[in-house]
Amino acid sequence: MFATRCSSIPLRGPSGSSHRREFANELTDRLFRCRYGSRILEVFAAPLGPGATAPMRSTGPRTRAQKGAAAMPKSRRTHKAERFDAMALPEELVQELQAQGFERAFEIQEAILPDALAGRDVLARAETGSGKTLAFALSMCARFRHRSSHRRRPLGMVLVPTRELAVQVVDTIHPFARAVGIKAQLVSGGMNIDKQADALRRGVEIIVATPGRVVDLAQRGDLFLDRIETTVIDEADHMADLGFLPVVTEILAHVEMGTQKMLFSATLDDQVDAITDRFLVDPVTHETTPVAAAVQSMRHVVYAINPKKKRQITAQIAARDGRTLLFTRTQLGAERVAQELIEVGIPAAALHGNKQQGLRTNVLAGFRQGAFDVLVATDVAARGIHIDDVSLVLHVDPSDDAKEYVHRSGRTARAGASGVVVTLALPHQKDKTRQVLETAQVSPEWSEVNSETDEVIRYVGGRTPSGTPARDPQLVKYKGAPRKLDVTRMRGANSRNAAERRENEKRRAVYDENEKSPFSRTSGSGKGRRTGGKKRGPDARRARGASPARSRGQRRSR
């Protein structure tokens, strides 16, 4: 059977030394597909949609003994930062890497690339910011070099959990795809689906997609998965947290078994294991650094703060030099903190899931370009978003669990750099914060901060902001923003709300002073109501000239 299926492979390659490497790569790829395709699953070309059935022949989850017998050994060799030009990469990709300043591979890239280029299934667990995006981008571009796809039928697919991560991944792939003569297309929700469908009709080799938009396009008949040769699932554990794995399972069921699949995840839980057991064939497992160890190269600080000074302390830290990323628990909290920082002279923008996609893209573009140094985000930016030179992460609202803390903190100290992580803990949050940090295997520096003038804030670069309101960065259109984005209709930070907030703060300060005064409480027994309040009881009614309260019997007789 193997010889029969492979008899159509040509035995002579194109002439010329420049084509010999390409011919050898193509021959190896076709031999791999013949081998696995012959004993796992026949090729099918069914669209993914309602009522569509995939002729799968899955044997179900494997037993522990089968896993031990079939799984490849983990990669445990010592990595020595091999140079890219010494790897089996096309010359075009090496030149593009050198143009971007990359000469040596990171640990995860050196581990993954040989297996990925050979067409093997890969299961990779690596610390956040390790460079795994570049690893699968290079392997896909090398495998699809100078090839052309059919309309609506791409050759490679990258599944990611969020739109922001999809934008980042496709931006990483674009220059390398152009270098080898192929095209990559963003297929994500929150954007014009008709434009994405038109691009697929013209033909693209790689799509970077969110799961929901893949299903939408397939149901419209604008996307077929029968010619997919490489599938990448990035941030698989985050997809599990968001509830996307059933959709991912449906998508993978319509991709031919035996084709290459690579799964990248910071953590591997039971749901991710189910995907691995069902769809990956003898995967090579690479694990460079445990997830908890990813944050140990950072400096961790916890400030137990006075609740009344939280806004001032946040502004002091955000006013530091360098890029700073702030995390809040809610979308309204992100908008509020960003506006408060603008009011005291710190240009800052908010990023969260309720913001229009064009505005989110514009904010990220401005932050990456250095137009402003402070970004206030919810956990939408805690996974996979890579922004260079973020030197401090500030948890304005502490994380609820260790995984969330690790991924928030992982926005700094990426790829071996250093960074500082600061957490602001209110009195009722201190016990929970200790538990989260212990689970994350972090030993932070604890400090009591009662005022924004405390010297410990200076240790992380904090300083007093100017106090003059700054221009709202969201009112500027940056390079890379959608062409039709209109920022002139945005109101930005509201000066009227700022004035009202300052007035309320003055009233609160007067109230606090009255609370501290020894004459603000009544003497004698009772619960200490403030003087000047309304008197209660029958004496008070007589003093106001009102008739005394009637008894229950008098009211009933009346």
Side-chain angles (χ1 to χ4, degrees):
M1 176 65 73
F2 181 79
T4 302
R5 291 174 64 89
C6 297
S7 60
S8 60
I9 297 178
L11 298 179
R12 296 182 61 188
S15 60
S17 59
S18 61
H19 296 280
R20 277 197 287 268
R21 178 186 293 178
E22 178 183 357
F23 173 72
N25 291 338
E26 182 178 359
L27 180 62
T28 303
D29 182 42
R30 295 180 67 176
L31 284 170
F32 176 82
R33 294 192 63 197
C34 286
R35 176 186 176 190
Y36 285 96
S38 62
R39 63 189 180 98
I40 297 178
L41 184 66
E42 70 262 15
V43 177
F44 67 93
L48 177 62
T53 58
M56 292 194 60
R57 296 180 183 174
S58 174
T59 58
R62 293 174 290 174
T63 63
R64 186 181 302 272
Q66 290 173 331
K67 290 181 185 179
M72 297 295 292
K74 292 184 179 182
S75 173
R76 297 187 183 277
R77 62 180 180 268
T78 302
H79 303 285
K80 299 180 180 179
E82 185 178 357
R83 294 179 62 89
F84 283 113
D85 54 11
M87 296 181 176
L89 291 173
E91 187 64 27
E92 301 94 329
L93 295 181
V94 174
Q95 292 177 357
E96 181 62 31
L97 285 166
Q98 292 175 350
Q100 296 188 22
F102 297 111
E103 294 185 357
R104 294 186 178 273
F106 293 138
E107 181 181 356
I108 192 65
Q109 296 164 356
E110 185 184 358
I112 289 173
L113 275 173
D115 296 318
L117 291 172
R120 298 292 305 275
D121 284 1
V122 174
L123 176 62
R125 175 179 173 181
E127 63 179 275
T128 180
S130 59
K132 52 182 184 270
T133 302
L134 183 59
F136 65 73
L138 290 173
S139 66
M140 295 178 74
C141 291
R143 285 171 57 82
F144 304 146
R145 172 174 172 258
H146 297 317
R147 294 180 58 183
S148 59
S149 63
H150 295 267
R151 294 182 177 181
R152 303 184 181 91
R153 286 174 165 85
L155 301 175
M157 175 173 59
V158 182
L159 295 176
V160 297
T162 63
R163 288 173 277 182
E164 283 70 29
L165 183 54
V167 172
Q168 173 188 312
V169 171
V170 79
D171 288 344
T172 301
I173 295 177
H174 270 317
F176 300 103
R178 287 193 296 265
V180 296
I182 61 177
K183 291 173 287 187
Q185 174 64 36
L186 174 64
V187 178
S188 172
M191 302 178 182
N192 193 319
I193 191 172
D194 294 326
K195 291 183 178 180
Q196 297 172 358
D198 290 340
L200 292 172
R201 293 189 194 104
R202 293 191 296 268
V204 295
E205 284 69 40
I206 300 174
I207 61 171
V208 181
T210 52
R213 183 49 59 92
V214 171
V215 175
D216 294 339
L217 288 168
Q219 289 177 346
R220 288 167 45 124
D222 291 321
L223 175 62
F224 299 92
L225 306 178
D226 55 305
R227 291 185 179 270
I228 294 289
E229 298 181 13
T230 299
T231 305
V232 176
I233 306 171
D234 196 14
E235 298 287 351
D237 56 337
H238 193 200
M239 286 192 181
D241 295 339
L242 297 176
F244 289 161
L245 284 192
V247 182
V248 174
T249 302
E250 180 184 359
I251 293 172
L252 293 178
H254 290 77
V255 176
E256 178 188 352
M257 287 293 291
T259 57
Q260 184 184 37
K261 296 179 179 65
M262 294 186 282
L263 187 147
F264 297 87
S265 180
T267 56
L268 300 177
D269 52 22
D270 293 339
Q271 297 184 64
V272 178
D273 284 341
I275 295 286
T276 303
D277 293 338
R278 182 174 177 182
F279 295 106
L280 272 66
V281 179
D282 293 339
V284 182
T285 303
H286 296 283
E287 182 176 356
T288 57
T289 306
V291 179
V295 295
Q296 294 181 359
S297 61
M298 314 167 192
R299 179 190 172 197
H300 298 268
V301 179
V302 179
Y303 290 154
I305 64 172
N306 181 351
K308 298 176 182 178
K309 296 293 183 178
K310 183 174 182 177
R311 187 182 68 84
Q312 292 85 346
I313 294 172
T314 301
Q316 289 277 332
I317 298 175
R320 59 184 293 275
D321 289 327
R323 290 187 179 178
T324 306
L325 184 56
L326 282 64
F327 282 104
T328 62
R329 182 176 291 107
T330 64
Q331 299 170 356
L332 291 177
E335 291 286 353
R336 174 182 55 79
V337 171
Q339 290 191 8
E340 289 175 351
L341 294 178
I342 292 173
E343 293 164 6
V344 296
I346 305 171
L351 178 70
H352 53 78
N354 199 35
K355 191 182 287 288
Q356 181 186 352
Q357 181 59 43
L359 299 177
R360 292 159 68 175
T361 303
N362 187 51
V363 166
L364 276 176
F367 190 59
R368 284 198 179 99
Q369 296 164 18
F372 54 95
D373 289 335
V374 179
L375 181 66
V376 187
T378 57
D379 289 329
V380 71
R383 289 294 193 108
I385 300 300
H386 176 61
I387 301 170
D388 294 328
D389 303 328
V390 174
S391 54
L392 186 141
V393 169
L394 174 61
H395 299 261
V396 180
D397 297 324
S399 302
D400 291 329
D401 54 56
K403 182 187 294 187
E404 181 181 323
Y405 181 84
V406 168
H407 288 290
R408 281 184 176 187
S409 304
R411 299 314 99 197
T412 185
R414 297 177 68 86
S418 60
V420 180
V421 181
V422 181
T423 302
L424 303 183
L426 299 177
H428 69 280
Q429 297 171 333
K430 291 193 290 186
D431 292 340
K432 178 66 174 179
T433 301
R434 283 194 177 92
Q435 295 176 3
V436 169
L437 295 177
E438 289 176 0
T439 306
Q441 301 179 13
V442 171
S443 299
E445 307 169 15
W446 282 81
S447 300
E448 294 286 340
V449 180
N450 295 317
S451 173
E452 68 275 16
T453 59
D454 283 6
E455 191 64 27
V456 292
I457 298 179
R458 305 293 180 265
Y459 296 158
V460 296
R463 60 181 182 179
T464 304
S466 64
T468 303
R471 184 182 183 185
D472 194 339
Q474 298 182 97
L475 301 180
V476 180
K477 189 173 182 179
Y478 304 100
K479 182 180 179 181
R483 288 179 296 178
K484 294 185 178 180
L485 178 64
D486 185 8
V487 297
T488 59
R489 298 181 180 180
M490 297 183 60
R491 294 183 300 173
N494 194 321
S495 58
R496 179 178 177 180
N497 291 343
E500 291 179 356
R501 188 179 296 111
R502 293 192 187 96
E503 186 65 26
N504 290 335
E505 289 175 358
K506 292 179 181 178
R507 294 173 182 171
R508 190 179 300 114
V510 174
Y511 172 81
D512 292 340
E513 291 297 328
N514 290 337
E515 283 286 305
K516 297 176 183 178
S517 174
F519 302 101
S520 61
R521 303 288 183 180
T522 57
S523 59
S525 60
K527 295 184 179 180
R529 296 187 181 94
R530 296 186 192 93
T531 58
K534 292 183 178 180
K535 297 180 180 179
R536 299 181 183 277
D539 294 337
R541 294 179 62 85
R542 293 191 187 95
R544 292 196 300 267
S547 59
R550 296 184 177 91
S551 65
R552 182 180 300 177
Q554 291 174 334
R555 289 196 301 268
R556 187 176 301 169
S557 63
R558 183 184 179 97

